[in-house]
Amino acid sequence: MELRQLEYFVAVTEEASFTKAAARLHVAQPGVSAQIRQLERELGQPLLDRSGRTVRLTEVGAAVLPFARAALAAVEGARLSVDELTGLLRGHATIGTIDWIRSLDLPGMLAGFHRDHPNVEITVIQEDTATLTDGLHTGRIDLAFLSLGAEPPEGIATRVVIEQDLFAAVTHGHPLARRSTIPLRALADEDLICLPKGSGLRAVLDGAFADAGLHPRIAFEAGEPPVVAQIAAHGLGVAVLPESAARGLPDDLHAMPIVRPRLSGRIALAWRAEGPRSPAARALIARARRRLSP
C-alpha cells in the first residue's frame, strides 16, 4: 500500500469523480484509476461504487476513508515539523475571496510573501461569502476575505479591512432619480436588484428590512455589483450596491446613499479561530494581518 494510492483514493472520494480528482492532483485520469484499482486489489474489496453518475464510497470504502486521511495527515505533519525545525517554510496555503474586491492589493501582498517564501504554493479561489465561510470551518481554506453581515460567523476570527455604505442606483428617468438620499422604507415598494443570498451585503439589507417589518421585492439577483448595475441600467429596477461600486457607475445611472437607517457593509480578513494550521498558513495569515489595516 502506497501513500500515493491513499492520496488518490481520498481525492476521488472528496470530488466524487475520477476526472475532477485527476485535475486536482494534476495527473492523468487513467493513472488515478489504475492506482485505486491496485489499492482495491491489495485490500481485497472494492472501495468505490462506479455504477452511478457520481462515484460513491462502498461500505468498505467508508470504513477505510478515515484511516487513509489519518495516514496522509501524519505524513504531512512529520514533514511540516521538520520544516519548522530547519527554518524552511514550504507547503501550501489557500486564500478565498469574494470576487468583486478591487481596492485590496491582494496581488501585491502575495508577491511580497512569495519573495520571502518561494517554496510555498498558494491557491486563490473566488466564491461567495457562505462558501468561503464553510471552507474556513472545514480547513479547505486558510484565509479569506468575506463580506460580513451584522455578526461575524461563529468560530471565525475577523479583522475588518473595508467598511462602506450601501447605495441605491436608478436610471435618470426613474422617479427616485430626483433624490440625493433614499430611506430604506422607500425601497420596499420598488423592484430591487441585489447581490444573492449568501453575501454579506445581502445579509445586511435583508436584516434591515426585517428589523423595519418590511418585505422587499427582489426582482433580480446577480453575483457581482457591475452586473447588478448593468441590469439597473436597463430600467429593470433599483440596484443596491456597495459604495465602491456605486462611485464607479456609468453616466446613465444615478446613485444615492440609503439612509434611515444608514446601512454599512464590511469586508473582513477572516481565518479559523481554532484548529490546526500549517506553518505556511500561519505565516500567510500573519503577513495579511500586518499588511492590511482598515
Side-chain angles (χ1 to χ4, degrees):
M1 189 181 300
E2 299 179 5
L3 286 172
R4 180 174 55 177
Q5 295 168 344
L6 298 179
E7 181 185 13
Y8 289 5
F9 168 60
V10 170
V12 171
T13 299
E14 292 177 348
E15 300 293 339
S17 164
F18 282 89
T19 300
K20 292 180 180 179
R24 167 175 146 182
L25 296 166
H26 306 293
V27 297
Q29 180 180 333
V32 174
S33 299
Q35 289 296 324
I36 291 181
R37 282 197 299 269
Q38 179 62 30
L39 178 62
E40 289 175 323
R41 281 195 294 269
E42 292 177 5
L43 293 174
Q45 294 289 335
L47 303 177
L48 298 170
D49 181 355
R50 303 162 172 81
S51 62
R53 295 181 60 130
T54 59
V55 180
R56 296 176 299 173
L57 286 168
T58 64
E59 184 176 355
V60 173
V64 169
L65 180 61
F67 294 99
R69 284 176 167 155
L72 294 173
V75 171
E76 181 64 14
R79 182 181 295 114
L80 293 174
S81 295
V82 172
D83 289 347
E84 285 190 290
L85 288 172
T86 58
L88 175 63
L89 186 65
R90 63 184 179 187
H92 180 268
T94 300
I95 297 178
T97 179
I98 51 178
D99 56 5
W100 53 268
I101 296 177
R102 299 292 182 266
S103 56
L104 295 175
D105 185 17
L106 181 58
M109 184 191 77
L110 294 180
F113 184 84
H114 179 70
R115 283 193 297 270
D116 294 340
H117 307 293
N119 294 315
V120 175
E121 177 187 349
I122 298 177
T123 299
V124 180
I125 62 174
Q126 294 181 338
E127 299 285 359
D128 60 36
T129 289
T131 304
L132 294 177
T133 301
D134 181 68
L136 290 172
H137 279 135
T138 61
R140 182 173 63 90
I141 297 172
D142 299 299
L143 179 70
F145 293 96
L146 306 178
S147 178
L148 292 183
E151 298 293 335
E154 184 177 356
I156 301 299
T158 60
R159 178 176 181 177
V160 174
V161 293
I162 297 176
E163 187 165 1
Q164 52 186 333
D165 292 341
L166 266 64
F167 275 57
V170 296
T171 59
H172 291 286
H174 195 283
L176 295 178
R178 295 189 296 270
R179 292 177 173 267
S180 58
T181 63
I182 184 166
L184 180 70
R185 186 169 295 276
L187 294 176
D189 299 325
E190 302 291 335
D191 290 334
L192 300 182
I193 309 164
C194 305
L195 295 173
K197 287 186 178 295
S199 66
L201 290 182
R202 178 62 180 275
V204 170
L205 184 67
D206 289 348
F209 275 120
D211 290 343
L214 300 173
H215 301 283
R217 298 202 308 256
I218 308 299
F220 296 92
E221 293 180 340
E224 298 185 15
V227 180
V228 171
Q230 289 170 10
I231 296 173
H234 283 81
L236 297 176
V238 180
V240 179
L241 301 163
E243 182 177 2
S244 58
R247 297 298 187 192
L249 289 175
D251 293 338
D252 51 357
L253 287 175
H254 168 72
M256 54 205 141
I258 300 172
V259 297
R260 299 199 300 274
R262 169 179 170 265
L263 302 183
S264 177
R266 298 170 296 159
I267 305 300
L269 185 68
W271 60 96
R272 188 168 51 171
E274 297 181 355
R277 283 191 290 267
S278 70
R282 290 199 298 269
L284 184 59
I285 292 169
R287 171 67 64 95
R289 294 179 66 182
R290 288 195 305 268
R291 182 182 176 93
L292 298 173
S293 58

